[in-house]
Amino acid sequence: GLAANVSGVAFQLKEPGAFLAMAGMKKDQSLAAGKSALLAAVEGMVKEPPTAVELSQAKTNLLKNIELQLASSQSVALAISE
């Protein structure tokens, strides 16, 4: 693969804006190739935004994770302590 791991964060601010995309590379992986692939993926999201079905699936997943987190008092305590 081009990266050992990838992730992204959309900051929940009052107004939409910043999105942070990250890729973790192993020592034997090409940094230039990983950077190029990550930039291409982000630019691809701008050129071809997610479909209504993909957005619906993402929202359902987020709501499920929130519900699961709220079901655990330990998770709630950790979230409000950060």
Side-chain angles (χ1 to χ4, degrees):
L2 295 174
N5 60 66
V6 294
S7 61
V9 177
F11 296 98
Q12 297 177 351
L13 305 174
K14 184 176 179 181
E15 298 293 328
F19 173 75
L20 177 62
M22 300 165 279
M25 312 299 292
K26 293 181 181 177
K27 290 181 181 181
D28 63 339
Q29 292 175 313
S30 166
L31 184 59
K35 180 181 176 182
S36 178
L38 184 61
L39 287 172
V42 171
E43 289 170 352
M45 290 188 331
V46 173
K47 292 176 184 173
E48 291 184 42
T51 65
V53 170
E54 291 169 326
L55 287 175
S56 177
Q57 290 171 339
K59 287 178 184 179
T60 299
N61 188 40
L62 286 170
L63 291 173
K64 182 185 92 178
N65 286 336
I66 290 170
E67 189 175 317
L68 289 172
Q69 189 175 26
L70 291 175
S72 163
S73 59
Q74 184 178 5
S75 294
V76 172
L78 181 62
I80 61 176
S81 70
E82 292 181 340

